[in-house]
PDB file of all heavy atoms in Angstrom:
ATOM      1  N   TYR A 123    -232.084-228.701 -53.115  1.00  0.00           N
ATOM      2  CA  TYR A 123    -231.937-230.145 -53.295  1.00  0.00           C
ATOM      3  C   TYR A 123    -230.459-230.524 -53.274  1.00  0.00           C
ATOM      4  O   TYR A 123    -230.049-231.453 -52.567  1.00  0.00           O
ATOM      5  CB  TYR A 123    -232.585-230.565 -54.616  1.00  0.00           C
ATOM      6  CG  TYR A 123    -232.514-232.047 -54.885  1.00  0.00           C
ATOM      7  CD1 TYR A 123    -233.546-232.883 -54.503  1.00  0.00           C
ATOM      8  CD2 TYR A 123    -231.412-232.610 -55.521  1.00  0.00           C
ATOM      9  CE1 TYR A 123    -233.492-234.250 -54.749  1.00  0.00           C
ATOM     10  CE2 TYR A 123    -231.343-233.971 -55.774  1.00  0.00           C
ATOM     11  CZ  TYR A 123    -232.388-234.791 -55.380  1.00  0.00           C
ATOM     12  OH  TYR A 123    -232.317-236.130 -55.622  1.00  0.00           O
ATOM     13  N   GLU A 124    -229.652-229.799 -54.035  1.00  0.00           N
ATOM     14  CA  GLU A 124    -228.227-230.104 -54.118  1.00  0.00           C
ATOM     15  C   GLU A 124    -227.515-229.843 -52.795  1.00  0.00           C
ATOM     16  O   GLU A 124    -226.626-230.600 -52.400  1.00  0.00           O
ATOM     17  CB  GLU A 124    -227.597-229.320 -55.265  1.00  0.00           C
ATOM     18  CG  GLU A 124    -228.084-229.840 -56.608  1.00  0.00           C
ATOM     19  CD  GLU A 124    -227.670-229.003 -57.805  1.00  0.00           C
ATOM     20  OE1 GLU A 124    -227.034-227.928 -57.632  1.00  0.00           O
ATOM     21  OE2 GLU A 124    -227.989-229.421 -58.943  1.00  0.00           O
ATOM     22  N   PHE A 125    -227.908-228.788 -52.094  1.00  0.00           N
ATOM     23  CA  PHE A 125    -227.303-228.484 -50.803  1.00  0.00           C
ATOM     24  C   PHE A 125    -227.587-229.594 -49.796  1.00  0.00           C
ATOM     25  O   PHE A 125    -226.694-230.059 -49.092  1.00  0.00           O
ATOM     26  CB  PHE A 125    -227.839-227.140 -50.268  1.00  0.00           C
ATOM     27  CG  PHE A 125    -227.329-226.804 -48.899  1.00  0.00           C
ATOM     28  CD1 PHE A 125    -226.077-226.229 -48.744  1.00  0.00           C
ATOM     29  CD2 PHE A 125    -228.092-227.060 -47.770  1.00  0.00           C
ATOM     30  CE1 PHE A 125    -225.593-225.919 -47.485  1.00  0.00           C
ATOM     31  CE2 PHE A 125    -227.623-226.756 -46.507  1.00  0.00           C
ATOM     32  CZ  PHE A 125    -226.368-226.181 -46.353  1.00  0.00           C
ATOM     33  N   TRP A 126    -228.841-230.011 -49.709  1.00  0.00           N
ATOM     34  CA  TRP A 126    -229.241-230.974 -48.685  1.00  0.00           C
ATOM     35  C   TRP A 126    -228.902-232.416 -49.032  1.00  0.00           C
ATOM     36  O   TRP A 126    -228.681-233.233 -48.141  1.00  0.00           O
ATOM     37  CB  TRP A 126    -230.733-230.846 -48.377  1.00  0.00           C
ATOM     38  CG  TRP A 126    -231.027-229.556 -47.675  1.00  0.00           C
ATOM     39  CD1 TRP A 126    -231.658-228.466 -48.180  1.00  0.00           C
ATOM     40  CD2 TRP A 126    -230.657-229.212 -46.335  1.00  0.00           C
ATOM     41  NE1 TRP A 126    -231.708-227.460 -47.261  1.00  0.00           N
ATOM     42  CE2 TRP A 126    -231.102-227.886 -46.104  1.00  0.00           C
ATOM     43  CE3 TRP A 126    -229.993-229.871 -45.308  1.00  0.00           C
ATOM     44  CZ2 TRP A 126    -230.909-227.224 -44.908  1.00  0.00           C
ATOM     45  CZ3 TRP A 126    -229.804-229.213 -44.108  1.00  0.00           C
ATOM     46  CH2 TRP A 126    -230.256-227.903 -43.915  1.00  0.00           C
ATOM     47  N   THR A 127    -228.856-232.758 -50.305  1.00  0.00           N
ATOM     48  CA  THR A 127    -228.588-234.154 -50.669  1.00  0.00           C
ATOM     49  C   THR A 127    -227.166-234.386 -51.158  1.00  0.00           C
ATOM     50  O   THR A 127    -226.689-235.524 -51.162  1.00  0.00           O
ATOM     51  CB  THR A 127    -229.537-234.637 -51.793  1.00  0.00           C
ATOM     52  OG1 THR A 127    -229.236-233.937 -52.998  1.00  0.00           O
ATOM     53  CG2 THR A 127    -230.997-234.462 -51.398  1.00  0.00           C
ATOM     54  N   GLY A 128    -226.494-233.337 -51.602  1.00  0.00           N
ATOM     55  CA  GLY A 128    -225.165-233.495 -52.172  1.00  0.00           C
ATOM     56  C   GLY A 128    -225.194-234.101 -53.566  1.00  0.00           C
ATOM     57  O   GLY A 128    -224.163-234.446 -54.126  1.00  0.00           O
ATOM     58  N   GLU A 129    -226.377-234.246 -54.132  1.00  0.00           N
ATOM     59  CA  GLU A 129    -226.545-234.828 -55.467  1.00  0.00           C
ATOM     60  C   GLU A 129    -227.019-233.760 -56.442  1.00  0.00           C
ATOM     61  O   GLU A 129    -227.611-232.765 -56.049  1.00  0.00           O
ATOM     62  CB  GLU A 129    -227.582-235.956 -55.418  1.00  0.00           C
ATOM     63  CG  GLU A 129    -227.196-237.102 -54.509  1.00  0.00           C
ATOM     64  CD  GLU A 129    -228.308-238.138 -54.384  1.00  0.00           C
ATOM     65  OE1 GLU A 129    -229.289-238.057 -55.155  1.00  0.00           O
ATOM     66  OE2 GLU A 129    -228.190-238.994 -53.510  1.00  0.00           O
ATOM     67  N   ARG A 130    -226.775-234.022 -57.720  1.00  0.00           N
ATOM     68  CA  ARG A 130    -227.251-233.116 -58.765  1.00  0.00           C
ATOM     69  C   ARG A 130    -228.780-233.170 -58.813  1.00  0.00           C
ATOM     70  O   ARG A 130    -229.381-234.238 -58.796  1.00  0.00           O
ATOM     71  CB  ARG A 130    -226.662-233.550 -60.108  1.00  0.00           C
ATOM     72  CG  ARG A 130    -226.988-232.617 -61.233  1.00  0.00           C
ATOM     73  CD  ARG A 130    -226.094-232.925 -62.433  1.00  0.00           C
ATOM     74  NE  ARG A 130    -226.585-232.329 -63.642  1.00  0.00           N
ATOM     75  CZ  ARG A 130    -226.445-231.042 -63.965  1.00  0.00           C
ATOM     76  NH1 ARG A 130    -225.816-230.246 -63.137  1.00  0.00           N
ATOM     77  NH2 ARG A 130    -226.924-230.577 -65.090  1.00  0.00           N
ATOM     78  N   ALA A 131    -229.396-232.006 -58.863  1.00  0.00           N
ATOM     79  CA  ALA A 131    -230.859-231.925 -58.894  1.00  0.00           C
ATOM     80  C   ALA A 131    -231.401-232.432 -60.227  1.00  0.00           C
ATOM     81  O   ALA A 131    -230.812-232.183 -61.280  1.00  0.00           O
ATOM     82  CB  ALA A 131    -231.312-230.488 -58.673  1.00  0.00           C
ATOM     83  N   PRO A 132    -232.546-233.120 -60.206  1.00  0.00           N
ATOM     84  CA  PRO A 132    -233.168-233.613 -61.439  1.00  0.00           C
ATOM     85  C   PRO A 132    -233.958-232.486 -62.123  1.00  0.00           C
ATOM     86  O   PRO A 132    -235.188-232.460 -62.111  1.00  0.00           O
ATOM     87  CB  PRO A 132    -234.083-234.725 -60.929  1.00  0.00           C
ATOM     88  CG  PRO A 132    -234.463-234.277 -59.554  1.00  0.00           C
ATOM     89  CD  PRO A 132    -233.246-233.568 -59.009  1.00  0.00           C
ATOM     90  N   ARG A 133    -233.230-231.551 -62.723  1.00  0.00           N
ATOM     91  CA  ARG A 133    -233.861-230.353 -63.287  1.00  0.00           C
ATOM     92  C   ARG A 133    -234.918-230.672 -64.348  1.00  0.00           C
ATOM     93  O   ARG A 133    -235.941-230.006 -64.403  1.00  0.00           O
ATOM     94  CB  ARG A 133    -232.800-229.416 -63.835  1.00  0.00           C
ATOM     95  CG  ARG A 133    -232.089-228.626 -62.757  1.00  0.00           C
ATOM     96  CD  ARG A 133    -231.032-227.717 -63.368  1.00  0.00           C
ATOM     97  NE  ARG A 133    -230.496-226.791 -62.391  1.00  0.00           N
ATOM     98  CZ  ARG A 133    -229.602-227.116 -61.481  1.00  0.00           C
ATOM     99  NH1 ARG A 133    -229.135-228.347 -61.404  1.00  0.00           N
ATOM    100  NH2 ARG A 133    -229.168-226.218 -60.623  1.00  0.00           N
ATOM    101  N   ALA A 134    -234.670-231.648 -65.185  1.00  0.00           N
ATOM    102  CA  ALA A 134    -235.660-231.966 -66.228  1.00  0.00           C
ATOM    103  C   ALA A 134    -236.977-232.397 -65.592  1.00  0.00           C
ATOM    104  O   ALA A 134    -238.054-231.955 -66.009  1.00  0.00           O
ATOM    105  CB  ALA A 134    -235.133-233.049 -67.163  1.00  0.00           C
ATOM    106  N   ALA A 135    -236.915-233.233 -64.555  1.00  0.00           N
ATOM    107  CA  ALA A 135    -238.131-233.678 -63.865  1.00  0.00           C
ATOM    108  C   ALA A 135    -238.795-232.518 -63.136  1.00  0.00           C
ATOM    109  O   ALA A 135    -240.024-232.407 -63.114  1.00  0.00           O
ATOM    110  CB  ALA A 135    -237.803-234.805 -62.889  1.00  0.00           C
ATOM    111  N   MET A 136    -237.981-231.650 -62.548  1.00  0.00           N
ATOM    112  CA  MET A 136    -238.525-230.486 -61.841  1.00  0.00           C
ATOM    113  C   MET A 136    -239.234-229.558 -62.818  1.00  0.00           C
ATOM    114  O   MET A 136    -240.328-229.079 -62.543  1.00  0.00           O
ATOM    115  CB  MET A 136    -237.400-229.754 -61.101  1.00  0.00           C
ATOM    116  CG  MET A 136    -236.771-230.579 -59.984  1.00  0.00           C
ATOM    117  SD  MET A 136    -235.267-229.834 -59.338  1.00  0.00           S
ATOM    118  CE  MET A 136    -235.953-228.489 -58.383  1.00  0.00           C
ATOM    119  N   ARG A 137    -238.596-229.313 -63.962  1.00  0.00           N
ATOM    120  CA  ARG A 137    -239.183-228.433 -64.978  1.00  0.00           C
ATOM    121  C   ARG A 137    -240.494-229.027 -65.485  1.00  0.00           C
ATOM    122  O   ARG A 137    -241.498-228.332 -65.636  1.00  0.00           O
ATOM    123  CB  ARG A 137    -238.186-228.237 -66.129  1.00  0.00           C
ATOM    124  CG  ARG A 137    -238.634-227.243 -67.160  1.00  0.00           C
ATOM    125  CD  ARG A 137    -237.580-226.959 -68.226  1.00  0.00           C
ATOM    126  NE  ARG A 137    -236.967-228.140 -68.772  1.00  0.00           N
ATOM    127  CZ  ARG A 137    -235.724-228.565 -68.486  1.00  0.00           C
ATOM    128  NH1 ARG A 137    -234.968-227.886 -67.653  1.00  0.00           N
ATOM    129  NH2 ARG A 137    -235.250-229.659 -69.032  1.00  0.00           N
ATOM    130  N   GLU A 138    -240.507-230.336 -65.724  1.00  0.00           N
ATOM    131  CA  GLU A 138    -241.719-231.010 -66.200  1.00  0.00           C
ATOM    132  C   GLU A 138    -242.832-230.901 -65.159  1.00  0.00           C
ATOM    133  O   GLU A 138    -243.996-230.655 -65.500  1.00  0.00           O
ATOM    134  CB  GLU A 138    -241.416-232.482 -66.498  1.00  0.00           C
ATOM    135  CG  GLU A 138    -242.599-233.219 -67.079  1.00  0.00           C
ATOM    136  CD  GLU A 138    -242.270-234.667 -67.405  1.00  0.00           C
ATOM    137  OE1 GLU A 138    -241.093-234.974 -67.655  1.00  0.00           O
ATOM    138  OE2 GLU A 138    -243.207-235.480 -67.403  1.00  0.00           O
ATOM    139  N   ALA A 139    -242.495-231.069 -63.876  1.00  0.00           N
ATOM    140  CA  ALA A 139    -243.495-230.980 -62.805  1.00  0.00           C
ATOM    141  C   ALA A 139    -244.119-229.582 -62.738  1.00  0.00           C
ATOM    142  O   ALA A 139    -245.287-229.436 -62.391  1.00  0.00           O
ATOM    143  CB  ALA A 139    -242.873-231.350 -61.470  1.00  0.00           C
ATOM    144  N   LEU A 140    -243.331-228.566 -63.092  1.00  0.00           N
ATOM    145  CA  LEU A 140    -243.835-227.192 -63.090  1.00  0.00           C
ATOM    146  C   LEU A 140    -244.512-226.827 -64.411  1.00  0.00           C
ATOM    147  O   LEU A 140    -245.053-225.734 -64.545  1.00  0.00           O
ATOM    148  CB  LEU A 140    -242.689-226.206 -62.818  1.00  0.00           C
ATOM    149  CG  LEU A 140    -242.116-226.238 -61.401  1.00  0.00           C
ATOM    150  CD1 LEU A 140    -240.860-225.381 -61.324  1.00  0.00           C
ATOM    151  CD2 LEU A 140    -243.158-225.769 -60.394  1.00  0.00           C
ATOM    152  N   GLY A 141    -244.474-227.738 -65.374  1.00  0.00           N
ATOM    153  CA  GLY A 141    -245.097-227.462 -66.672  1.00  0.00           C
ATOM    154  C   GLY A 141    -244.283-226.516 -67.519  1.00  0.00           C
ATOM    155  O   GLY A 141    -244.809-225.893 -68.437  1.00  0.00           O
ATOM    156  N   GLY A 142    -242.984-226.389 -67.220  1.00  0.00           N
ATOM    157  CA  GLY A 142    -242.134-225.441 -67.928  1.00  0.00           C
ATOM    158  C   GLY A 142    -241.557-225.973 -69.213  1.00  0.00           C
ATOM    159  O   GLY A 142    -241.384-227.175 -69.388  1.00  0.00           O
TER     160      GLY A 142
END
Side-chain angles (χ1 to χ4, degrees):
Y123 181 93
E124 291 172 356
F125 176 82
W126 291 108
T127 67
E129 299 175 10
R130 185 166 164 78
R133 282 180 170 78
M136 295 169 74
R137 186 175 47 255
E138 184 178 334
L140 290 171

